[in-house]
């Protein structure tokens, strides 16, 4: 067997490194070319379909939208204004969301009502967000990007990039997140983005996630501007204004909760216990992040005067049964509790109320952060003293 010389080996390494650098550069150029094309126009529109295999229930959901994006360099928050229309499977308009640079406006065509709120999500601009994230990722970690063979998606011949944003071993489990980007070789526009993930961060089991976004019917520099981002004539504001969450010291309103096991419980029967109310729905990412710490809290206090009441008004009994089984949840979850949502003025998810032994609200907050478990146990410990 012939052993290559050090000189030959060094040359081979240099050639391989040069080839790798060229590939990484080509991938970065491909994504940047798409971003530059979008940035060239004052506005553009596209249609979008999304399919998700929910790793919380193993169910599959889908949605389709029509999006109009208007460049707004003066807008520091985003740089774009938009209108997005959510459509039914038959193509009928279900709802519209507008962003005018200051407020997010939700339009409900079924009853000609609107609601105004502050801008809190970039989800509608997921295409732009994804492209910029990929572009930055290519530059920072070119070793995590690979090119696959060209493939045909939705009738278009596409370049295919694979982004491995996470690839690790945790407790002998191979955890990863892979994003596949397909760009039309003719139009230079994205045709499809898929995500595959295996994660241990949510729930108490290893979860698998898959989503698939298709983008099509692109149009550029249309007759679309700021004048199209106003509330249409004939629309009126929703009669029920968004109410503030109940404050500390307020007597917690009573309610009846229906358990998935058929048992009912009332808040009044929990008097004498510290009660943690969790308002959530399946698929809400922040809600799902709280699942593991909530289970830990239940285990920590299961033999003490503490009760958890997790409730959803959106999810069916069968979905909750499956959800609890997949995530090995021990704490109780209640369904169809729209009245409890209303009486506690809940409009954001997740929202948490902590009620003291006398039935008064001790703490309330919305959202999830990394110290959620520590924060909640500290609150409960103080109320148990």
């Amino acid at each position: 067997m012939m052993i290559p010389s050090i000189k030959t080996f060094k040359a081979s390494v240099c050639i391989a490194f040069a080839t790798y650098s060229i590939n990484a550069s080509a991938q970065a150029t491909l994504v940047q070319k798409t971003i530059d094309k979008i940035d060239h126009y004052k506005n553009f529109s596209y249609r979008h379909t999304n399919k998700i295999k929910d790793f919380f229930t193993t169910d599959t959901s889908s949605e389709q939208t029509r999006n109009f994006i208007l460049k707004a360099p003066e807008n520091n928050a985003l740089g774009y204004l938009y209108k997005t229309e959510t459509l039914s499977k038959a193509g009928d308009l279900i709802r519209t969301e507008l962003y005018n640079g200051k407020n997010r406006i939700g339009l409900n065509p079924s009853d000609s009502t609107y609601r105004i709120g502050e801008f809190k999500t970039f989800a509608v601009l997921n295409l732009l967000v994804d492209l910029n994230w990929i572009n930055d990722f290519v530059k920072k970690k070119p070793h995590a990007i690979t090119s696959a063979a060209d493939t045909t998606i939705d009738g278009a011949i596409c370049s295919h990039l694979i982004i491995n944003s996470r690839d690790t071993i945790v407790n002998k489990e191979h955890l990863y997140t892979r994003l596949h980007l397909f760009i039309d070789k003719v139009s230079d526009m994205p045709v499809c983005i898929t995500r595959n993930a295996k994660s241990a961060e949510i729930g108490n089991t290893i979860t698998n996630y898959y989503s698939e976004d298709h983008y099509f019917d692109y149009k550029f520099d249309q007759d679309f501007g700021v004048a199209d981002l106003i509330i249409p004539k004939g629309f009126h504001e929703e009669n029920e204004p968004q109410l503030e969450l109940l404050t500390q010291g307020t007597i917690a309103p009573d309610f009846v909760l229906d358990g998935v096991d058929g048992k009912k419980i009332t808040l009044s029967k929990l008097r004498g216990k510290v009660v943690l109310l969790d308002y959530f729905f399946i698929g809400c990412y922040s809600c799902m992040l709280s699942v593991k710490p909530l289970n830990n809290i239940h285990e920590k206090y299961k033999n003490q005067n503490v009760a958890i009441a997790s409730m959803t008004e959106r999810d069916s009994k069968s979905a909750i049964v499956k959800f609890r089984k997949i995530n090995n949840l021990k704490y109780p979850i209640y369904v169809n509790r729209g009245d409890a949502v209303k009486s506690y003025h809940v409009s954001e998810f997740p929202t948490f109320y902590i009620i003291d032994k006398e039935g008064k609200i001790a703490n309330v907050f919305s959202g999830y952060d990394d110290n959620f478990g520590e924060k909640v146990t500290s609150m409960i410990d103080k109320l148990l003293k």
Side-chain angles (χ1 to χ4, degrees):
M1 181 176 66
M2 182 178 292
I3 299 176
S5 66
I6 296 296
K7 184 176 182 180
T8 302
F9 176 75
K10 287 182 176 179
S12 299
V13 170
C14 290
I15 292 171
F17 181 77
T19 302
Y20 167 75
S21 299
I22 291 171
N23 288 338
S25 176
Q27 293 157 4
T29 300
L30 184 63
V31 179
Q32 186 63 56
K33 188 176 181 180
T34 299
I35 293 173
D36 290 344
K37 178 171 182 177
I38 291 174
D39 195 51
H40 176 73
Y41 298 97
K42 65 180 181 181
N43 67 51
F44 74 104
S45 67
Y46 62 92
R47 296 189 67 160
H48 166 237
T49 61
N50 168 259
K51 294 180 181 179
I52 294 177
K53 187 173 183 180
D54 197 337
F55 56 4
F56 312 120
T57 64
T58 70
D59 292 336
T60 300
S61 60
S62 62
E63 184 178 72
Q64 58 176 321
T65 61
R66 186 164 49 217
N67 304 275
F68 302 85
I69 312 298
L70 176 64
K71 191 192 300 184
E74 70 283 358
N75 182 261
N76 295 327
L78 201 58
Y80 292 91
L81 311 181
Y82 73 81
K83 176 172 77 171
T84 183
E85 300 173 338
T86 301
L87 309 173
S88 69
K89 291 182 179 180
D92 299 321
L93 180 62
I94 299 175
R95 62 181 180 273
T96 300
E97 185 175 301
L98 310 175
Y99 174 55
N100 60 13
K102 294 182 179 180
N103 296 308
R104 185 180 60 190
I105 304 171
L107 305 176
N108 185 355
S110 65
D111 60 4
S112 298
T113 60
Y114 69 85
R115 171 176 288 184
I116 297 178
E118 293 184 1
F119 186 70
K120 297 180 180 179
T121 176
F122 297 155
V124 69
L125 298 173
N126 63 336
L127 174 59
L128 296 172
V129 172
D130 281 348
L131 287 174
N132 282 285
W133 177 86
I134 292 169
N135 196 39
D136 289 340
F137 195 82
V138 168
K139 295 174 182 177
K140 293 176 182 177
K141 297 184 178 181
H143 60 278
I145 313 294
T146 58
S147 293
D150 292 351
T151 187
T152 300
I153 301 289
D154 297 339
I157 299 176
C158 300
S159 300
H160 180 187
L161 297 184
I162 303 172
I163 299 92
N164 291 291
S165 62
R166 187 189 188 198
D167 199 324
T168 187
I169 302 293
V170 177
N171 296 327
K172 298 182 180 180
E173 288 284 351
H174 181 204
L175 306 179
Y176 58 84
T177 301
R178 295 194 186 102
L179 187 149
H180 294 252
L181 170 63
F182 301 89
I183 297 179
D184 189 331
K185 294 176 72 71
V186 175
S187 69
D188 296 321
M189 295 299 292
V191 173
C192 181
I193 297 176
T194 67
R195 294 170 180 81
N196 298 80
K198 188 174 183 181
S199 172
E201 281 72 37
I202 299 175
N204 295 315
T205 59
I206 300 298
T207 53
N208 294 287
Y209 174 81
Y210 176 78
S211 73
E212 184 178 306
D213 293 277
H214 290 256
Y215 305 93
F216 55 99
D217 196 20
Y218 289 100
K219 296 177 182 177
F220 299 92
D221 279 352
Q222 304 170 83
D223 185 20
F224 175 76
V226 176
D228 297 287
L229 300 174
I230 62 174
I231 300 169
K233 291 182 178 180
F235 275 67
H236 59 278
E237 192 167 8
E238 287 185 353
N239 293 328
E240 295 185 13
Q242 185 170 320
L243 301 175
E244 296 292 330
L245 293 171
L246 302 181
T247 57
Q248 290 181 333
T250 304
I251 297 295
D254 200 7
F255 47 63
V256 179
L257 299 178
D258 301 317
V260 293
D261 57 1
K263 297 180 180 179
K264 295 180 182 290
I265 192 172
T266 63
L267 182 62
S268 57
K269 288 185 178 180
L270 296 176
R271 185 67 62 86
K273 293 186 177 184
V274 176
V275 181
L276 170 59
L277 302 182
D278 162 40
Y279 292 85
F280 85 105
F281 64 90
I282 296 174
C284 158
Y285 187 73
S286 294
C287 301
M288 299 300 98
L289 289 175
S290 68
V291 165
K292 185 180 290 187
L294 282 172
N295 218 43
N296 293 337
I297 291 169
H298 171 79
E299 290 300 304
K300 177 180 175 66
Y301 296 106
K302 63 183 179 182
N303 296 320
Q304 301 184 51
N305 285 327
V306 177
I308 295 178
S310 186
M311 64 189 80
T312 173
E313 64 171 335
R314 304 188 185 188
D315 303 302
S316 66
K317 177 180 177 180
S318 60
I320 292 299
V321 170
K322 188 186 299 183
F323 174 70
R324 294 186 77 235
K325 182 178 180 180
I326 290 173
N327 291 284
N328 192 27
L329 302 184
K330 304 301 182 183
Y331 61 88
I333 299 179
Y334 303 92
V335 295
N336 301 325
R337 299 322 312 160
D339 54 344
V341 171
K342 186 176 181 180
S343 62
Y344 280 74
H345 303 174
V346 175
S347 61
E348 297 182 11
F349 299 89
T351 290
F352 303 93
Y353 279 93
I354 297 180
I355 301 170
D356 66 20
K357 295 178 181 180
E358 286 71 45
K360 295 180 181 180
I361 293 170
N363 287 282
V364 57
F365 60 94
S366 296
Y368 176 87
D369 52 40
D370 291 339
N371 68 340
F372 170 81
E374 181 181 345
K375 178 170 65 175
V376 172
T377 54
S378 176
M379 293 176 182
I380 292 175
D381 286 342
K382 289 179 181 178
L383 294 173
L384 287 175
K385 292 180 180 179

